[in-house]
Amino acid sequence: KSAEYVYLSSMSTSALYNDQGGAEAAVEAGQESTPTSSSTGAAFGLFSADFKKNEDLKEMLESNKESLKLEAMKRVVGLIAKGKNASELFPAVVKNVASKNIELKKLVYVYLVRYAEEQQDLALLSISTFQRALKDPNQFIRASALRVLSSIRVPIIVPIMMLAIKEAAADLSPYVRKTSAHAIQKLFSLDPDQKEQLIEVIEKLLKDKSTLVAGSVVMAFEEVCPDRIDLIHKNYRKLCNLLVDVEEWGQVVIISMLTRYARTQFTSPWKENNEKTFYDSDSEEKKGQIEAKPYIMDPDHRLLLRNTKPLLQSRNTAVVMSVAQLYWHLAPKHEVSIVTKSLVRLLRSHREVQYIVLQNIATMSIQRKGMFEPFMKSFYVRSTDATHIKTLKLEILTNLANEANISTILREFQTYVKSQDKAFAAATIQAIGRCATNISEVTDTCLNGLVLLLSNRDETVVAESVVVIKKLLQTQPTQHSEIIKHMAKLFDNITVPMARASILWLMGEYCERVPKIAPDVLRKMAKTFTIEEDIVKLQTVNLAAKLYLTNSKQTKLLTQYILNLGKYDQNYDIRDRTRFIRQLIVPSEKNGALNKYARRILLAPKPAPVLESAFKDRDRYQLGTLSHSLNIKATGYQELSDWPAVAPDQSVRNVEVIEPVRN
């Protein structure tokens, strides 16, 4: 049938082409497919036969034969699945909403859910049919009718939707009750004034014992009233026990909600907090009380940890990630390491998954290195990895570095520096700098290695090495005047502005340690000042000012020449800096008071920079959230509350068991 149909439609299209003649018909036939201005594109529209196909589908939908209607609906749903627009068929499809054929009815409802929002007027005309369908014997029809009803986003039908949701929430079919939970969120977004009534429905659905409903109703709870913790008390244990059997995305939502719930209801299992309260208390009596009461985990807290642990074996990466963040935020510190293997297992997945998992591991590895140290090889970079994956692995390896494994990690870094990926090679040099500052035993080794990189052919590597060496030299400048001299020799060959500026800054900062070389570098800079980048010019002015104060005899005229060049520069920052420096260092009657402090201002000892991980403050956001991934607070993010000092009454979670009355 379908082959015949394609053949006939193509025949009719070619006839149309011959009758109307050439381009006009081609354009007309091509309109339904991709709109294009070129005649070639229009001609290609002939072979898609979309123009006639929709007319044909309308005829089939309006015929008296059920088989033709069913065939037409299958094709229409196929068009929607391919992303094509089938909205013009809406009137023809709506007529079939009252069909007796169950298969046809299901397909009509699938179509209506997609287009009800766009064609609201037509959908409203058949609203009585949807209301009748809510009482249909078939559960799928009842659910589909509710889904279509909640997709018509018109305020006038809010009371009808509200009534339908309440009825569906009491339906015998768990599938229909699940659909009513989905409809709650749609109605709330359409009319937030219905919140109180919707909370009543949520409260009723939370008591549902079906695993099919649990995930959807918790999602509705999170959307409508996430602050109503009191609704969860009675259902807490039930949700913990149902968790293993709930569908995967429901598990993710429930675990996230229970994480927030646990942070408000239980005391902290982390030892440091208890010790802190012990030392903070003043009176001996209080100390005695706290000492006498060691931490005992609430049974409900333990129930949550015990019931989520098996989900670490889940095939769904989101579920594993949710359990990992739950353990990170709720479990005693000695138990958190059970999530390590599962997280490392996720690194075999797609790069999108790897990216999120590595971000979370990077945050974890800062606070608890021991968790991931045995799996260090899993974070070695592969040549097939994307740049963003490589830099995250590099971050984790740097976090895991200690005296025992630093030699292995540095050997690995040596290979990475030679990478063709320049951004990654630059990130590796920064990682070497961080290792050098964190582990004093390898500081000299790292510095010497970075000095060797200064003779590399690649400008990016040289520039990054200079910047990192500058930061390292600031931590111990007295020992390294030879390195500063070596960098001065290479100055002419370095072209990257940031690297040139860094060398000039070093020359100026430690000009008294290299008294012969610094004036010579200034002389060279005076020649090329006008063609340098702005950042280099600013550091040249700084170098001139510092040399004027420490070695005035040799550099007085040079400094005046550079200040004159800067005075007429095109960039107003440089003109501004030049005027300020001149007034500061060159004594005159007007500025005599400030001139006395010139040395203290320009040659003040500066604190060494701290090379830190970019992930050091990410743990302020809940792991696995969008806010954690972006490192900014995203819309809708709900912060985890701090542990309560005293646990709230645990009897609120007790549920009365009603036993059957015996005669």
Side-chain angles (χ1 to χ4, degrees):
K1 267 187 185 176
S2 65
E4 268 177 22
Y5 162 74
V6 171
Y7 173 68
L8 286 169
S9 57
S10 63
M11 287 284 285
S12 60
T13 314
S14 60
L16 175 80
Y17 183 83
N18 291 331
D19 288 352
Q20 293 185 355
E24 285 180 31
V27 171
E28 213 171 318
Q31 263 176 346
E32 276 303 312
S33 58
T34 50
T36 174
S37 58
S38 69
S39 58
T40 324
F44 272 106
L46 285 171
F47 302 107
S48 70
D50 274 3
F51 177 69
K52 275 290 175 187
K53 185 184 279 187
N54 287 353
E55 288 296 321
D56 215 41
L57 286 171
K58 281 180 189 173
E59 285 174 22
M60 290 169 79
L61 287 166
E62 288 166 3
S63 74
N64 296 326
K65 289 184 181 177
E66 291 287 319
S67 58
L68 275 176
K69 288 179 179 180
L70 192 60
E71 179 66 24
M73 277 314 300
K74 284 179 181 175
R75 287 189 195 163
V76 171
V77 172
L79 284 174
I80 295 169
K82 288 176 185 172
K84 294 190 177 175
N85 184 13
S87 58
E88 63 175 36
L89 294 168
F90 197 92
V93 173
V94 167
K95 290 175 187 173
N96 295 297
V97 78
S99 171
K100 297 279 189 292
N101 186 320
I102 298 293
E103 287 300 311
L104 178 60
K105 213 167 187 175
K106 283 182 190 174
L107 291 172
V108 169
Y109 279 128
V110 167
Y111 177 91
L112 292 177
V113 167
R114 169 67 182 80
Y115 288 110
E117 199 171 331
E118 291 177 23
Q119 307 269 352
Q120 290 171 353
D121 296 341
L122 284 169
L124 281 171
L125 291 174
S126 51
I127 204 160
S128 57
T129 316
F130 305 139
Q131 286 177 284
R132 280 200 303 278
L134 288 168
K135 294 182 172 56
D136 195 279
N138 188 311
Q139 59 173 350
F140 295 110
I141 299 298
R142 295 201 298 277
S144 298
L146 180 59
R147 204 175 287 129
V148 175
L149 203 58
S150 58
S151 299
I152 305 170
R153 305 186 62 75
V154 181
I156 199 167
I157 66 157
V158 165
I160 298 172
M161 278 173 70
M162 192 74 235
L163 194 65
I165 288 170
K166 283 181 178 175
E167 284 179 10
D171 199 282
L172 290 173
S173 162
Y175 181 71
V176 178
R177 299 200 296 274
K178 176 192 177 79
T179 310
S180 76
H182 292 166
I184 287 171
Q185 299 164 58
K186 291 183 182 177
L187 179 53
F188 180 69
S189 68
L190 180 63
D191 184 7
D193 295 340
Q194 303 293 323
K195 185 173 179 178
E196 290 308 313
Q197 286 186 332
L198 291 174
I199 289 173
E200 288 172 21
V201 183
I202 289 171
E203 191 172 5
K204 183 180 176 182
L205 285 172
L206 278 169
K207 293 171 186 169
D208 203 303
K209 290 187 171 62
S210 169
T211 52
L212 200 63
V213 180
S216 300
V217 70
V218 170
M219 189 69 222
F221 169 83
E222 292 280 74
E223 286 284 323
V224 179
C225 53
D227 50 340
R228 286 289 302 273
I229 291 289
D230 56 295
L231 299 179
I232 305 298
H233 290 322
K234 296 284 185 193
N235 303 296
Y236 173 80
R237 290 171 190 165
K238 182 197 74 182
L239 286 171
C240 287
N241 291 322
L242 284 181
L243 199 53
V244 180
D245 299 317
V246 175
E247 42 92 24
E248 292 166 345
W249 296 109
Q251 288 172 344
V252 174
V253 175
I254 293 171
I255 291 169
S256 175
M257 185 273 293
L258 290 177
T259 306
R260 285 193 300 109
Y261 177 85
R263 284 293 282 257
T264 62
Q265 299 301 310
F266 309 127
T267 52
S268 170
W270 302 331
K271 206 175 176 186
E272 287 82 355
N273 286 18
N274 298 335
E275 284 173 3
K276 194 176 178 185
T277 51
F278 174 84
Y279 289 119
D280 283 355
S281 54
D282 300 321
S283 63
E284 288 296 322
E285 188 183 337
K286 276 186 187 173
K287 285 183 186 177
Q289 281 175 3
I290 292 165
E291 215 169 5
K293 279 189 179 179
Y295 171 75
I296 298 168
M297 185 177 279
D298 188 302
D300 286 331
H301 191 168
R302 175 54 65 198
L303 174 74
L304 177 58
L305 293 173
R306 190 170 60 242
N307 284 14
T308 49
K309 186 179 174 182
L311 297 179
L312 286 169
Q313 310 304 321
S314 173
R315 64 182 179 174
N316 188 311
T317 49
V319 175
V320 178
M321 200 61 249
S322 296
V323 179
Q325 66 84 25
L326 178 132
Y327 264 79
W328 179 259
H329 293 298
L330 300 181
K333 293 199 171 173
H334 62 276
E335 290 182 31
V336 178
S337 54
I338 68 163
V339 306
T340 311
K341 273 188 179 177
S342 302
L343 287 175
V344 171
R345 171 171 65 86
L346 298 184
L347 296 179
R348 300 187 196 125
S349 191
H350 305 292
R351 65 168 65 171
E352 293 82 7
V353 173
Q354 282 183 47
Y355 180 67
I356 298 298
V357 173
L358 286 168
Q359 278 191 325
N360 287 282
I361 292 175
T363 303
M364 292 176 173
S365 60
I366 290 171
Q367 292 185 22
R368 303 188 196 161
K369 293 184 180 185
M371 272 175 71
F372 296 98
E373 226 179 303
F375 301 94
M376 202 167 72
K377 285 187 180 175
S378 302
F379 305 112
Y380 284 175
V381 172
R382 296 175 184 168
S383 56
T384 52
D385 287 336
T387 306
H388 59 280
I389 302 289
K390 288 178 182 175
T391 46
L392 279 171
K393 285 185 173 179
L394 194 65
E395 180 71 40
I396 294 165
L397 285 173
T398 313
N399 291 343
L400 297 179
N402 57 30
E403 289 85 349
N405 61 23
I406 186 64
S407 55
T408 315
I409 288 175
L410 283 177
R411 266 203 307 277
E412 194 70 17
F413 285 178
Q414 271 181 331
T415 316
Y416 300 165
V417 169
K418 296 169 191 166
S419 169
Q420 294 299 311
D421 184 343
K422 300 308 169 202
F424 173 57
T428 306
I429 293 165
Q430 288 178 6
I432 293 170
R434 264 178 59 203
C435 289
T437 51
N438 296 342
I439 302 160
S440 53
E441 287 89 341
V442 293
T443 305
D444 291 343
T445 316
C446 290
L447 251 177
N448 294 335
L450 290 169
V451 170
L452 289 173
L453 287 176
L454 293 177
S455 51
N456 195 298
R457 288 180 186 175
D458 184 29
E459 285 182 358
T460 320
V461 172
V462 174
E464 205 63 48
S465 302
V466 169
V467 175
V468 173
I469 288 171
K470 173 198 147 190
K471 289 175 180 174
L472 289 177
L473 290 183
Q474 280 180 264
T475 59
Q476 39 183 331
T478 48
Q479 306 166 19
H480 299 295
S481 55
E482 287 301 316
I483 292 177
I484 297 171
K485 286 176 187 173
H486 182 66
M487 289 169 84
K489 285 177 189 171
L490 294 169
F491 185 75
D492 291 343
N493 301 325
I494 294 171
T495 54
V496 179
M498 189 66 199
R500 288 175 76 81
S502 294
I503 294 175
L504 290 173
W505 185 90
L506 278 171
M507 292 291 155
E509 191 63 20
Y510 308 116
C511 54
E512 289 166 321
R513 298 194 213 294
V514 282
K516 292 180 181 175
I517 293 171
D520 199 45
V521 171
L522 185 66
R523 179 183 60 77
K524 286 180 181 176
M525 286 310 301
K527 286 181 181 177
T528 61
F529 186 87
T530 50
I531 57 168
E532 295 288 352
E533 292 286 332
D534 293 344
I535 189 172
V536 182
K537 287 178 181 176
L538 287 171
Q539 289 304 336
T540 308
V541 172
N542 282 354
L543 173 63
K546 288 171 183 174
L547 284 173
Y548 184 90
L549 293 172
T550 57
N551 188 358
S552 177
K553 190 188 289 185
Q554 271 187 293
T555 58
K556 186 176 180 180
L557 293 171
L558 260 177
T559 303
Q560 285 178 352
Y561 174 68
I562 286 169
L563 291 177
N564 284 336
L565 288 174
K567 185 178 176 182
Y568 300 106
D569 197 87
Q570 289 183 341
N571 186 301
Y572 56 79
D573 280 338
I574 295 163
R575 296 199 298 273
D576 195 46
R577 175 74 61 88
T578 308
R579 290 193 191 100
F580 162 69
I581 293 289
R582 189 190 293 278
Q583 294 301 315
L584 183 64
I585 62 171
V586 181
S588 68
E589 292 175 13
K590 292 178 185 175
N591 64 351
L594 194 60
N595 184 252
K596 290 186 285 185
Y597 303 106
R599 281 186 78 89
R600 283 171 66 183
I601 292 170
L602 289 171
L603 297 169
K606 296 166 185 68
V610 182
L611 297 171
E612 288 178 321
S613 167
F615 286 81
K616 70 172 175 30
D617 56 348
R618 289 257 183 129
D619 58 343
R620 67 182 187 272
Y621 299 116
Q622 186 176 345
L623 295 189
T625 58
L626 178 65
S627 299
H628 174 267
S629 186
L630 300 176
N631 200 21
I632 53 168
K633 191 171 181 178
T635 310
Y637 173 71
Q638 293 168 358
E639 289 187 5
L640 279 181
S641 57
D642 290 329
W643 295 100
V646 179
D649 181 21
Q650 63 183 43
S651 64
V652 291
R653 288 186 290 279
N654 294 339
V655 183
E656 293 175 26
V657 180
I658 302 166
E659 294 200 5
V661 180
R662 291 179 185 172
N663 295 334

